[in-house]
Amino acid sequence: MKNSITPYVSVIVPIYGVEQYMEKCARSLFEQTLDSIEYIFIDDCTPDYSMDILKAVLKEYPHRQSQVKILHNESNQGQALTRTYGIGESTGEYVIHCDPDDWVDVNAYKIMYDAAVRESASIGRCGFYRVEGGQKEQVNYPFHHTERIEVLADMFAEKSMASLWSTLVRGDIARLNSIVNPTHNFIEDFTLLVQYFLYSEKNVCLEDALYYYNYNPDSIVNKRGVEATMSRYESYKANVEIIRQVLLKSPYWEILKKSFFHMLEYKRNILIPLSLS
């Protein structure tokens, strides 16, 4: 190790209502081929046995036990605030997130970390599989773009996935006091990634599919009905305003504003049709 104190990668995992997925996720994390990892699991007042399952699995990996932090929210905070808590507690050279209903290729963090270090990159991204009904499909995006403006334009145009779980970010960027952390649980990944890329001097993109995104019809993004849609809309407005303010203060507003307004139109078209099913 370059530094015996600072872990290479901090992995942040918010936990709520995922007992049927927790074991598979935890094993994929503890079996990573990268040794220097800090694991931050945050109990967001989960009402099920997710935390018990996590602790039982951890007992089978004694070499990982000293690397694990298990934190607890006093009340249910939601994913955005829980992730922010985890970022604040992280000490890693790089930071990445993992959703507990998904899982990770055992080589993922070693491949991503090695690539970021080799290229002196502030941010590294990887491909992923979308898993539904036992079937997996590799999702391909134009990963050849690495320049800040091109990456952000791709994100605004929905040509590139804006996901924290496939994005390794240098820890000193993720922990900057100037980062405006979202408090609402819709496009919160997008809100943070826009800011991270604005601070990043160099990015590296891997086409390797290293993450398994488990499509969940009950997730916040996929829930139907007027109440769920209105909740998403309020979250959307709050996080879009963060993005707008951040871009206005940056030197890139004139370059990116057309792409930004394209993103507004696209998201609005998703949110407007209220489903009563």
Side-chain angles (χ1 to χ4, degrees):
M1 290 186 190
K2 291 181 293 186
N3 188 317
S4 60
I5 298 174
T6 303
Y8 290 170
V9 175
S10 294
V11 185
I12 298 166
V13 189
I15 298 175
Y16 184 86
V18 289
E19 61 183 4
Q20 68 266 47
Y21 309 108
M22 192 72 253
E23 179 178 355
K24 186 169 190 174
C25 177
R27 290 191 187 281
S28 76
L29 292 174
F30 296 145
E31 292 177 7
Q32 288 294 303
T33 53
L34 181 68
D35 292 328
S36 181
I37 298 179
E38 173 183 60
Y39 299 93
I40 302 176
F41 297 96
I42 308 164
D43 175 12
D44 192 22
C45 299
T46 186
D48 61 7
Y49 292 101
S50 297
M51 299 308 299
D52 296 309
I53 293 168
L54 169 63
K55 292 172 184 176
V57 173
L58 179 56
K59 288 180 180 179
E60 300 180 31
Y61 299 87
H63 65 293
R64 292 297 194 188
Q65 291 171 10
S66 64
Q67 300 175 321
V68 173
K69 294 180 180 178
I70 296 180
L71 309 175
H72 304 271
N73 289 335
E74 291 185 5
S75 60
N76 178 254
Q77 298 293 304
Q79 184 162 267
L81 286 172
T82 301
R83 282 174 166 173
T84 298
Y85 180 22
I87 292 168
E89 293 293 322
S90 70
T91 63
E93 184 181 346
Y94 287 84
V95 172
I96 197 166
H97 298 258
C98 179
D99 288 349
D101 50 352
D102 302 334
W103 68 97
V104 190
D105 185 286
V106 294
N107 297 306
Y109 299 145
K110 179 169 176 52
I111 291 172
M112 295 180 76
Y113 176 80
D114 286 350
V117 171
R118 184 173 61 250
E119 300 295 330
S120 300
S122 301
I123 294 178
R125 296 187 295 162
C126 71
F128 67 98
Y129 292 105
R130 183 182 188 272
V131 182
E132 182 178 5
Q135 302 296 314
K136 69 176 183 180
E137 175 188 6
Q138 184 168 350
V139 179
N140 295 311
Y141 286 98
F143 285 104
H144 57 282
H145 285 168
T146 58
E147 294 300 318
R148 175 191 292 124
I149 299 302
E150 291 179 331
V151 171
L152 288 170
D154 282 347
M155 285 171 53
F156 287 133
E158 299 290 326
K159 294 179 181 177
S160 180
M161 185 71 171
S163 60
L164 290 171
W165 38 254
S166 63
T167 308
L168 189 73
V169 181
R170 216 174 63 211
D172 59 347
I173 292 178
R175 293 186 288 266
L176 278 170
N177 290 331
S178 54
I179 295 291
V180 182
N181 289 294
T183 59
H184 292 74
N185 297 316
F186 186 67
I187 68 166
E188 72 275 17
D189 290 43
F190 200 108
T191 306
L192 283 174
L193 287 173
V194 167
Q195 298 177 77
Y196 293 162
F197 279 111
L198 286 173
Y199 280 107
S200 176
E201 293 298 327
K202 188 174 183 182
N203 311 300
V204 62
C205 299
L206 303 171
E207 294 190 17
D208 308 64
L210 302 173
Y211 190 92
Y212 293 81
Y213 163 62
N214 188 34
Y215 176 77
N216 182 357
D218 296 321
S219 70
I220 292 171
V221 175
N222 296 316
K223 282 186 177 178
R224 300 293 181 179
V226 173
E227 184 177 349
T229 305
M230 291 307 298
S231 176
R232 282 197 297 273
Y233 182 66
E234 291 303 315
S235 295
Y236 161 80
K237 286 198 303 181
N239 287 335
V240 160
E241 181 59 19
I242 291 175
I243 296 168
R244 188 179 74 88
Q245 291 294 336
V246 165
L247 288 176
L248 282 170
K249 294 174 183 176
S250 81
Y252 308 109
W253 171 246
E254 290 300 323
I255 301 173
L256 288 169
K257 66 180 180 181
K258 183 177 180 180
S259 298
F260 172 74
F261 287 121
H262 177 277
M263 182 271 292
L264 290 186
E265 185 65 24
Y266 179 84
K267 296 293 186 187
R268 191 179 295 117
N269 289 337
I270 292 176
L271 289 166
I272 286 175
L274 299 181
S275 171
L276 299 176
S277 61

